[in-house]
mmCIF file of all heavy atoms in Angstrom:
data_model
loop_
_atom_site.group_PDB
_atom_site.id
_atom_site.type_symbol
_atom_site.label_atom_id
_atom_site.label_comp_id
_atom_site.label_asym_id
_atom_site.label_seq_id
_atom_site.Cartn_x
_atom_site.Cartn_y
_atom_site.Cartn_z
ATOM 1 N N ARG A 241 -138.969 15.372 58.230
ATOM 2 C CA ARG A 241 -139.575 14.646 57.129
ATOM 3 C C ARG A 241 -140.340 13.413 57.682
ATOM 4 O O ARG A 241 -140.003 12.916 58.755
ATOM 5 C CB ARG A 241 -138.523 14.179 56.104
ATOM 6 C CG ARG A 241 -138.052 15.377 55.241
ATOM 7 C CD ARG A 241 -137.364 14.995 53.930
ATOM 8 N NE ARG A 241 -138.380 14.354 53.050
ATOM 9 C CZ ARG A 241 -139.240 14.964 52.222
ATOM 10 N NH1 ARG A 241 -139.242 16.270 52.205
ATOM 11 N NH2 ARG A 241 -140.090 14.332 51.458
ATOM 12 N N LEU A 242 -141.295 12.898 56.933
ATOM 13 C CA LEU A 242 -142.149 11.844 57.276
ATOM 14 C C LEU A 242 -141.956 10.710 56.344
ATOM 15 O O LEU A 242 -142.158 10.851 55.127
ATOM 16 C CB LEU A 242 -143.663 12.373 57.308
ATOM 17 C CG LEU A 242 -143.805 13.722 57.911
ATOM 18 C CD1 LEU A 242 -145.074 14.441 57.447
ATOM 19 C CD2 LEU A 242 -143.814 13.637 59.442
ATOM 20 N N VAL A 264 -151.400 13.327 52.863
ATOM 21 C CA VAL A 264 -150.394 13.516 53.926
ATOM 22 C C VAL A 264 -149.348 14.457 53.444
ATOM 23 O O VAL A 264 -148.903 15.356 54.147
ATOM 24 C CB VAL A 264 -149.771 12.144 54.374
ATOM 25 C CG1 VAL A 264 -148.694 12.399 55.375
ATOM 26 C CG2 VAL A 264 -150.859 11.264 55.004
ATOM 27 N N ASP A 265 -148.922 14.352 52.159
ATOM 28 C CA ASP A 265 -147.953 15.199 51.662
ATOM 29 C C ASP A 265 -148.452 16.672 51.679
ATOM 30 O O ASP A 265 -147.743 17.640 52.053
ATOM 31 C CB ASP A 265 -147.538 14.839 50.238
ATOM 32 C CG ASP A 265 -146.326 15.576 49.764
ATOM 33 O OD1 ASP A 265 -145.280 15.448 50.392
ATOM 34 O OD2 ASP A 265 -146.415 16.307 48.738
ATOM 35 N N ARG A 266 -149.751 16.834 51.281
ATOM 36 C CA ARG A 266 -150.370 18.183 51.253
ATOM 37 C C ARG A 266 -150.421 18.817 52.699
ATOM 38 O O ARG A 266 -150.089 19.947 52.897
ATOM 39 C CB ARG A 266 -151.684 18.187 50.509
ATOM 40 C CG ARG A 266 -152.351 19.521 50.379
ATOM 41 C CD ARG A 266 -153.331 19.545 49.332
ATOM 42 N NE ARG A 266 -152.719 19.460 48.042
ATOM 43 C CZ ARG A 266 -152.245 20.459 47.313
ATOM 44 N NH1 ARG A 266 -152.326 21.700 47.822
ATOM 45 N NH2 ARG A 266 -151.678 20.323 46.177
ATOM 46 N N LEU A 267 -151.012 18.030 53.531
ATOM 47 C CA LEU A 267 -151.180 18.524 54.925
ATOM 48 C C LEU A 267 -149.903 18.723 55.700
ATOM 49 O O LEU A 267 -149.834 19.460 56.690
ATOM 50 C CB LEU A 267 -152.068 17.619 55.728
ATOM 51 C CG LEU A 267 -153.474 17.472 55.140
ATOM 52 C CD1 LEU A 267 -154.336 16.498 56.022
ATOM 53 C CD2 LEU A 267 -154.198 18.864 55.214
ATOM 54 N N SER A 268 -148.797 18.064 55.284
ATOM 55 C CA SER A 268 -147.519 18.297 55.918
ATOM 56 C C SER A 268 -146.675 19.324 55.244
ATOM 57 O O SER A 268 -145.529 19.602 55.700
ATOM 58 C CB SER A 268 -146.684 16.947 55.935
ATOM 59 O OG SER A 268 -146.328 16.623 54.574
ATOM 60 N N GLY A 269 -147.202 19.990 54.216
ATOM 61 C CA GLY A 269 -146.441 20.960 53.502
ATOM 62 C C GLY A 269 -145.334 20.423 52.678
ATOM 63 O O GLY A 269 -144.302 21.039 52.413
ATOM 64 N N GLY A 270 -145.466 19.117 52.179
ATOM 65 C CA GLY A 270 -144.541 18.524 51.276
ATOM 66 C C GLY A 270 -143.341 17.992 51.986
ATOM 67 O O GLY A 270 -142.168 18.110 51.579
ATOM 68 N N ARG A 271 -143.604 17.130 52.994
ATOM 69 C CA ARG A 271 -142.529 16.523 53.835
ATOM 70 C C ARG A 271 -142.541 15.009 53.796
ATOM 71 O O ARG A 271 -141.789 14.392 54.509
ATOM 72 C CB ARG A 271 -142.648 16.917 55.310
ATOM 73 C CG ARG A 271 -142.265 18.425 55.494
ATOM 74 C CD ARG A 271 -142.163 18.722 57.004
ATOM 75 N NE ARG A 271 -143.446 19.011 57.657
ATOM 76 C CZ ARG A 271 -143.741 18.687 58.899
ATOM 77 N NH1 ARG A 271 -142.844 18.072 59.666
ATOM 78 N NH2 ARG A 271 -144.977 18.990 59.359
ATOM 79 N N LEU A 272 -143.302 14.404 52.900
ATOM 80 C CA LEU A 272 -143.510 12.962 52.884
ATOM 81 C C LEU A 272 -142.471 12.261 51.937
ATOM 82 O O LEU A 272 -142.233 12.767 50.860
ATOM 83 C CB LEU A 272 -144.878 12.548 52.512
ATOM 84 C CG LEU A 272 -145.280 11.091 52.526
ATOM 85 C CD1 LEU A 272 -145.136 10.496 53.896
ATOM 86 C CD2 LEU A 272 -146.641 10.877 51.948
ATOM 87 N N PRO A 333 -150.287 15.952 45.361
ATOM 88 C CA PRO A 333 -149.268 16.192 46.393
ATOM 89 C C PRO A 333 -148.611 17.548 46.210
ATOM 90 O O PRO A 333 -148.714 18.111 45.094
ATOM 91 C CB PRO A 333 -148.263 15.045 46.224
ATOM 92 C CG PRO A 333 -148.360 14.630 44.777
ATOM 93 C CD PRO A 333 -149.842 14.839 44.494
ATOM 94 N N VAL A 334 -148.057 18.054 47.267
ATOM 95 C CA VAL A 334 -147.285 19.393 47.150
ATOM 96 C C VAL A 334 -145.984 19.131 46.395
ATOM 97 O O VAL A 334 -145.605 20.009 45.514
ATOM 98 C CB VAL A 334 -147.046 19.917 48.598
ATOM 99 C CG1 VAL A 334 -146.145 21.139 48.485
ATOM 100 C CG2 VAL A 334 -148.314 20.340 49.245
ATOM 101 N N GLN A 335 -145.241 18.082 46.659
ATOM 102 C CA GLN A 335 -143.983 17.838 46.059
ATOM 103 C C GLN A 335 -144.230 17.443 44.594
ATOM 104 O O GLN A 335 -145.028 16.477 44.324
ATOM 105 C CB GLN A 335 -143.183 16.785 46.800
ATOM 106 C CG GLN A 335 -142.862 17.204 48.260
ATOM 107 C CD GLN A 335 -142.149 16.081 48.985
ATOM 108 O OE1 GLN A 335 -140.963 16.106 49.012
ATOM 109 N NE2 GLN A 335 -142.874 15.194 49.593
ATOM 110 N N PRO A 340 -140.958 11.899 47.038
ATOM 111 C CA PRO A 340 -139.934 10.914 46.715
ATOM 112 C C PRO A 340 -140.357 9.468 47.006
ATOM 113 O O PRO A 340 -140.988 9.273 48.036
ATOM 114 C CB PRO A 340 -138.745 11.359 47.638
ATOM 115 C CG PRO A 340 -139.071 12.809 47.959
ATOM 116 C CD PRO A 340 -140.553 12.927 47.927
#
Side-chain angles (χ1 to χ4, degrees):
R241 286 201 66 82
L242 314 161
V264 176
D265 191 61
R266 181 159 291 275
L267 294 179
S268 68
R271 288 190 278 148
L272 184 63
V334 171
Q335 298 178 94

